[in-house]
Amino acid sequence: MRGSVSYENRISYSMITKKLNEWYTAIKDNLDEKAERLKKEVEGLIGGIDGNLEFIYYHQLLDFRHELMLSHLKSKDGEEINNAYETLKEHEGHLNGMLDYYYFFFKGMYDFKRKDLVAAISAYRRAEKSLEFVEDEIERAEFYYKMAEVYYYMKQTYYSIDYIERAITIYNKYETYLDKIIYCNYIIAGNLIDLLEYEKAMFKFNEALKIAKQIKRDNLVAISHLNIGICFNVGGMFEKAKKNLIIALKFFEKEYHPYLIKTLFNLSHVMCKANELEKGEFYYEKGFELALNTDNSEYIAKFNLLRGLYLNQDCFDLIDAAFEFLESNEMYGDVDEFAFEVGEVLLKRGEVARSSKYYQKVVMAKKQIQKGEMINETQIDNLLISHTHGGGVFSNN
């Protein structure tokens, strides 16, 4: 009979739904080995489903999210992620309910990874329009965290704090999400640094370190030391900064962790600021080589800025090329911080006229940051042209 569903199919659909949801949970928890196993199990089951577009779309969405996880954990080549995104892009405007939410939520993560912050926040805010379909409050907390993260990078401090407080309120209800609370503390502390509340920020970083040691998560212990080192660097306490960054480096080098390049940059930065230029050069060479080998445009630009300012002093072509990259990618938070530093260093060297050029960049960056609310509702609505071909609501339950 047309439209009827057999008992066997109901069991099969239920089994696939269960496996898809287990896979997504493993992905969110960054359990890469478990996620890989569940991915293979899902692929073995999904082939037996004929014509059910909801399952097909959900599978494609999770495959995309899986690649994003691997990219974060293992510094994987972005080609597979890009291919997965191109497959998904064909469905934009043709999904409803939870599938619509997942599409724009995952698109925001993808755009954030590419450092396209405006596109990321646009996608997240578009996903927020479908958040009503999300019944699982842990999924809501995940969404709030990602919103807080991108607002933090855009220097929209109070928006970031608002969303991170929503996330941590949910995570605090559960004893099994201490790792998520650690990440929330990182975002809170980062915002406190932007508010010049260094002592409060350090308290949050140390709280995160304590929890990481308590749950025996070595990677989070290392990330906590990295963040503590960055906080000490911003506060001008270079010896303490170096101590913590070196602890982080030892772990990240052993694991070839995605944060290795960030740690090398910050060590080179600290050494240069402390006028230990030989050591700064050492970490610069290691970090710059890694940036080139991984085609990391962001850190190629940032390492060049260090070389132009400290290691090959007054090499303004390198400095200006770095700012050109940051500005073209609308990374105005970085422009604000680095332009102020360049201006201060040049002023101390007696380059008064030249320093004013970089102070002007600070003013420009702050104006652009204040325009962070420019992503209006019309721009967000334009991300989705039509819902007329949607496949209905796909339940997580």
Side-chain angles (χ1 to χ4, degrees):
M1 180 175 165
R2 190 178 175 90
S4 65
V5 179
S6 70
Y7 175 70
E8 289 79 7
N9 275 344
R10 285 199 300 271
I11 294 175
S12 180
Y13 288 177
S14 175
M15 183 184 299
I16 294 174
T17 300
K18 182 174 181 293
K19 285 296 178 184
L20 284 164
N21 292 335
E22 286 179 4
W23 181 23
Y24 184 37
T25 299
I27 291 169
K28 287 191 292 185
D29 291 342
N30 291 324
L31 301 174
D32 54 319
E33 292 182 4
K34 184 177 181 180
E36 289 281 4
R37 174 175 58 78
L38 288 165
K39 177 182 178 181
K40 290 177 182 177
E41 291 181 21
V42 167
E43 288 170 349
L45 292 169
I46 206 80
I49 298 296
D50 294 324
N52 190 310
L53 293 179
E54 287 187 356
F55 282 107
I56 293 169
Y57 293 159
Y58 190 32
H59 174 251
Q60 289 177 346
L61 284 160
L62 292 190
D63 190 55
F64 177 52
R65 179 68 178 87
H66 185 99
E67 292 301 326
L68 286 168
M69 173 199 67
L70 293 179
S71 174
H72 173 69
L73 293 178
K74 299 184 178 182
S75 297
K76 277 193 66 177
D77 187 358
E79 184 176 352
E80 290 182 38
I81 300 174
N82 295 336
N83 291 338
Y85 174 67
E86 288 303 319
T87 300
L88 282 179
K89 200 174 178 183
E90 298 173 7
H91 307 315
E92 185 172 314
H94 302 281
L95 302 174
N96 280 338
M98 283 291 291
L99 296 179
D100 177 74
Y101 162 77
Y102 284 138
Y103 175 80
F104 285 106
F105 186 34
F106 299 165
K107 182 183 185 300
M109 293 183 199
Y110 174 73
D111 290 330
F112 181 79
K113 176 180 171 52
R114 296 186 304 119
K115 299 297 180 182
D116 191 341
L117 301 183
V118 171
I121 194 63
S122 295
Y124 284 151
R125 288 180 63 182
R126 180 59 193 78
E128 195 167 23
K129 289 179 175 290
S130 295
L131 198 59
E132 64 184 286
F133 297 104
V134 179
E135 296 179 7
D136 179 9
E137 68 174 353
I138 294 300
E139 177 67 22
R140 283 176 170 263
E142 182 87 357
F143 173 79
Y144 295 144
Y145 172 84
K146 292 296 184 182
M147 285 289 276
E149 181 182 46
V150 72
Y151 274 127
Y152 164 66
Y153 277 91
M154 293 180 75
K155 300 292 182 182
Q156 295 291 313
T157 304
Y158 294 103
Y159 284 119
S160 180
I161 290 172
D162 176 57
Y163 277 102
I164 205 64
E165 286 179 349
R166 296 191 215 181
I168 205 166
T169 297
I170 294 173
Y171 287 133
N172 274 330
K173 297 179 184 179
Y174 304 89
E175 294 180 0
T176 54
Y177 288 96
L178 290 175
D179 58 331
K180 302 292 186 181
I181 291 172
I182 289 172
Y183 281 109
C184 288
N185 278 338
Y186 294 156
I187 297 295
I188 293 169
N191 282 300
L192 287 170
I193 289 174
D194 289 339
L195 293 171
L196 309 182
E197 299 276 4
Y198 300 123
E199 289 186 12
K200 291 180 180 179
M202 191 60 72
F203 176 81
K204 283 294 179 183
F205 283 137
N206 281 315
E207 190 176 80
L209 176 61
K210 182 179 178 181
I211 297 171
K213 288 179 177 178
Q214 176 187 329
I215 62 177
K216 299 180 180 178
R217 292 284 297 274
D218 290 343
N219 64 318
L220 295 179
V221 170
I223 294 170
S224 297
H225 279 294
L226 168 60
N227 284 324
I228 289 169
I230 291 170
C231 190
F232 277 131
N233 181 23
V234 173
M237 291 178 272
F238 302 134
E239 288 303 317
K240 291 181 178 180
K242 286 183 282 184
K243 178 182 176 182
N244 281 277
L245 291 170
I246 287 170
I247 291 172
L249 180 67
K250 288 178 180 177
F251 176 83
F252 295 144
E253 282 188 321
K254 182 176 63 177
E255 298 291 325
Y256 199 68
H257 194 279
Y259 284 169
L260 174 57
I261 193 168
K262 183 175 184 177
T263 307
L264 288 168
F265 172 78
N266 279 283
L267 266 169
S268 180
H269 193 194
V270 168
M271 297 299 181
C272 288
K273 287 171 69 175
N275 203 32
E276 297 182 36
L277 298 184
E278 188 174 332
K279 290 180 180 179
E281 177 91 35
F282 172 77
Y283 290 114
Y284 165 87
E285 293 292 348
K286 292 181 73 171
F288 188 64
E289 182 181 3
L290 180 58
L292 290 175
N293 289 340
T294 56
D295 196 26
N296 191 318
S297 301
E298 175 189 354
Y299 277 97
I300 289 172
K302 289 181 177 179
F303 277 113
N304 277 333
L305 194 151
L306 290 187
R307 174 160 290 286
L309 184 61
Y310 294 107
L311 301 174
N312 288 1
Q313 284 190 13
D314 301 339
C315 188
F316 296 109
D317 287 345
L318 286 176
I319 295 172
D320 290 339
F323 280 115
E324 184 178 340
F325 171 84
L326 296 174
E327 290 168 19
S328 66
N329 285 276
E330 301 184 16
M331 299 169 68
Y332 296 115
D334 285 325
V335 174
D336 179 16
E337 292 176 11
F338 287 119
F340 183 78
E341 181 176 342
V342 173
E344 291 286 278
V345 169
L346 294 180
L347 188 62
K348 288 177 183 176
R349 292 177 187 168
E351 295 264 8
V352 178
R354 198 182 290 273
S355 69
S356 66
K357 168 184 173 180
Y358 297 99
Y359 286 132
Q360 287 172 14
K361 286 185 180 294
V362 174
V363 175
M364 177 277 296
K366 289 187 184 300
K367 286 181 179 178
Q368 292 297 328
I369 290 167
Q370 289 170 358
K371 290 180 181 177
E373 299 172 43
M374 65 186 174
I375 308 163
N376 57 48
E377 295 302 314
T378 302
Q379 289 172 297
I380 297 164
D381 288 340
N382 284 342
L383 285 171
L384 190 62
I385 306 302
S386 171
H387 288 278
T388 56
H389 297 93
V393 175
F394 193 93
S395 175
N396 252 345
N397 297 326

